[in-house]
Amino acid sequence: MRYVSTRGGVQPQRFSDILLEGLASDGGLYVPESYPRADIAAWRRLDYPGLATAILRQFMDDVPGLEALVARTYTRANFGSDEIAPLRTLAPGLHLLGLSNGPTLAFKDLALQLLGNLFEQVLGERQATLNILGATSGDTGSAAEHAMRGRRGIQVFMLSPHGRVSPFQAAQMYSLQDANIHNLVVRGVFDDCQDMVKRVNADAAFKARHRIGAVNSINWARIAAQVVYYFWGYFRATRADAEEVSFAVPTGNFGNIYAGYVARAMGLPVRRLILATNENDVLDEFFRTGKYRVRQATVATSSPSMDISRASNFERYAFDLVEREGRALGSLWRKLETDAEIDLSLLPRSGFASGRSTHADRIATLRSVHTLYGVTIDPHTADGIKVGLEHREEGVPLICLETAQPAKFAATLLEALGREPERPAGFEDLEQRPQRFEVIEADAEAVKRFIEHHAAAAAR
């Protein structure tokens, strides 16, 4: 399998090379030259590690010992059960796919636990080091840091928006005391953090000198790992190999639902991918109107991990919309940087539905799911269920993707249910633990200086 950039300015690469590089040198994102085909009948019989190996082997065919690496990742010890991602049936034809059972209680663990093992193996083979630069709207940061903490040859520099993540999410990151973990709290919003990561990566000399890598979903390994649970959920919810299902997916950066798009491109019988946004509804507007219009300001909401107005992974989808013409895509994205709007209304967008959820919707859905099914969910999952039910079709199973444990968003759950959610064991005193972080302005040069100083100190 070889990978090309969405901007068309890079020679095709093997997986091990793009794993460490993250963002392509031309500013684009890596995608496979073509999508592999799924073997639905054979894969249905596999357990989660076996299914993950079968799928990931399609994308990572130059990684030696992949089966053993996957087996070390997807374990009962890491994810609480052999199911890894258990499917719960709420009502006939309505399912909730449990993706929040990993070490940091969020769906990001399913990809980042794998990524930590991949990085360690490839870096060890090459006797190399890596400085990981990431941005988080909440869960990516803690999942990445817990996956990379203490790993030899890896330093993590994570940007998070000041006051825009929940106290639980912040404490998961800032309470880590490992010497290779660095938290930079940015005076701004998530889009500022993400833009800073891209600007640092755009400095080719700096990126090469300090070996800058990525854990955000701009790293293709993240997408590949997330493809697995779409197949897993499908197999748990159906019996016939040709039966169609729909997935309801809360999304902000388009990575989670893009993995579903890849699964469908591989042959998974997905009738519709139902995209749910919060009040920051850039993606919903696109799928309704064909206009991709970046907002000047991001609204702070009670589903904060989706408070994003510039979705990085949307570029991968748009690359297919322009028939994989990198120059055309690059031209569109340059226009987006100046005009903050592009019109793709004449391009096909089949197989998607979308909708928007507000705070009032979120509270109502949290209450109704708890009352009707006896299940407590988090606010982002509530967004997905609310929009999913709006687009549900009779006779088509609907699988709603869970995003996180409700304990991460206690204030919203208190408002909805009149009590805070129960905390999993080991997290009782999380916010009281000592925290270490540094507050900085939204300045890419400040990030470079910080990386330069701490990378040099680590090398001594």
Side-chain angles (χ1 to χ4, degrees):
M1 173 68 74
R2 297 194 307 172
Y3 293 83
V4 296
S5 169
T6 53
R7 305 287 176 91
V10 177
Q11 290 298 310
Q13 307 283 318
R14 297 299 299 276
F15 171 77
S16 292
D17 295 317
I18 70 158
L19 169 70
L20 300 181
E21 188 175 353
L23 201 67
S25 59
D26 64 355
L29 304 183
Y30 283 111
V31 293
E33 282 189 311
S34 61
Y35 299 113
R37 298 301 299 170
D39 189 342
I40 302 290
W43 291 358
R44 182 182 284 277
R45 302 190 299 268
L46 301 174
D47 62 7
Y48 198 96
L51 177 63
T53 300
I55 293 173
L56 295 174
R57 190 179 282 132
Q58 312 295 312
F59 296 107
M60 307 176 184
D61 55 4
D62 61 338
V63 175
L66 181 63
E67 183 174 3
L69 187 150
V70 168
R72 291 200 309 272
T73 300
Y74 299 113
T75 65
R76 173 184 285 270
N78 275 345
F79 292 95
S81 75
D82 294 328
E83 282 283 286
I84 308 300
L87 186 80
R88 176 182 294 185
T89 298
L90 303 180
L94 177 63
H95 310 281
L96 181 64
L97 186 60
L99 303 177
S100 66
N101 302 310
T104 69
L105 315 179
F107 80 94
K108 308 292 179 74
D109 288 320
L110 284 153
L112 284 160
Q113 286 292 308
L114 176 74
L115 194 59
N117 287 328
L118 282 167
F119 276 154
E120 190 168 59
Q121 177 166 310
V122 173
L123 290 171
E125 290 169 354
R126 300 184 179 192
Q127 296 185 324
T129 60
L130 191 66
N131 289 308
I132 294 170
L133 176 61
T136 183
S137 56
D139 290 326
T140 292
S142 57
E145 291 178 357
H146 282 261
M148 306 297 165
R149 61 185 303 191
R151 291 190 187 266
R152 188 175 180 181
I154 295 177
Q155 297 281 317
V156 179
F157 301 88
M158 187 60 61
L159 311 182
S160 58
H162 190 275
R164 292 290 191 117
V165 300
S166 77
F168 190 108
Q169 290 173 310
Q172 278 189 302
M173 293 184 284
Y174 308 158
S175 65
L176 291 181
Q177 303 299 315
D178 304 78
N180 71 323
I181 302 298
H182 310 279
N183 282 295
L184 300 176
V185 180
V186 177
R187 298 187 195 277
V189 298
F190 172 74
D191 291 322
D192 297 318
C193 300
Q194 190 162 249
D195 287 345
M196 291 160 71
V197 169
K198 290 181 178 179
R199 286 198 291 272
V200 172
N201 274 278
D203 185 338
F206 183 89
K207 181 178 179 179
R209 186 165 67 252
H210 293 289
R211 296 190 59 81
I212 303 296
V215 290
N216 283 79
S217 50
I218 61 174
N219 191 309
W220 178 260
R222 283 273 309 273
I223 301 297
Q226 291 173 229
V227 169
V228 176
Y229 55 68
Y230 279 89
F231 282 89
W232 180 256
Y234 174 80
F235 293 142
R236 306 274 83 69
T238 64
R239 293 183 179 180
D241 290 343
E243 184 178 351
E244 287 190 320
V245 303
S246 291
F247 288 92
V249 190
T251 192
N253 217 17
F254 204 72
N256 200 7
I257 200 164
Y258 177 75
Y261 169 78
V262 174
R264 185 173 61 194
M266 293 172 66
L268 189 67
V270 177
R271 180 169 176 82
R272 286 201 294 187
L273 292 164
I274 303 170
L275 179 149
T277 71
N278 61 16
E279 292 88 338
N280 297 289
D281 57 356
V282 173
L283 292 170
D284 174 44
E285 181 180 54
F286 168 75
F287 283 101
R288 286 187 295 102
T289 70
K291 291 184 178 180
Y292 184 65
R293 184 170 58 90
V294 176
R295 308 291 190 266
Q296 294 302 311
T298 304
V299 179
T301 77
S302 52
S303 53
S305 297
M306 292 155 57
D307 291 350
I308 299 168
S309 69
R310 190 184 295 269
S312 280
N313 280 287
F314 183 73
E315 179 171 339
R316 286 184 163 120
Y317 176 60
F319 181 60
D320 282 352
L321 292 184
V322 297
E323 299 183 350
R324 298 193 146 223
E325 290 290 339
R327 292 182 184 276
L329 192 283
S331 176
L332 277 173
W333 252 242
R334 284 190 295 274
K335 181 178 187 297
L336 185 63
E337 289 172 3
T338 56
D339 297 350
E341 179 179 328
I342 51 177
D343 190 341
L344 299 174
S345 57
L346 298 179
L347 298 171
R349 301 184 309 281
S350 62
F352 280 89
S354 72
R356 178 179 185 267
S357 176
T358 66
H359 178 73
D361 296 324
R362 219 163 285 132
I363 297 299
T365 304
L366 289 167
R367 288 173 179 160
S368 65
V369 169
H370 186 266
T371 300
L372 293 173
Y373 311 120
V375 176
T376 305
I377 56 175
D378 83 284
H380 308 77
T381 305
D383 289 336
I385 291 177
K386 181 261 183 183
V387 176
L389 291 175
E390 289 176 343
H391 292 281
R392 187 181 183 187
E393 298 172 284
E394 186 176 353
V396 180
L398 176 64
I399 301 174
C400 302
L401 299 196
E402 181 191 48
T403 61
Q405 293 271 342
K408 290 192 162 196
F409 308 97
T412 303
L413 270 294
L414 177 62
E415 179 183 348
L417 304 181
R419 58 174 176 77
E420 292 191 359
E422 184 178 344
R423 290 197 169 210
F427 292 92
E428 295 85 357
D429 65 340
L430 181 63
E431 289 92 332
Q432 282 70 54
R433 299 172 193 174
Q435 298 186 7
R436 48 188 285 268
F437 57 88
E438 183 163 330
V439 179
I440 65 170
E441 300 300 325
D443 176 14
E445 294 304 316
V447 175
K448 289 182 187 178
R449 290 192 295 271
F450 190 93
I451 291 174
E452 212 149 26
H453 173 74
H454 287 83
R460 288 198 290 269

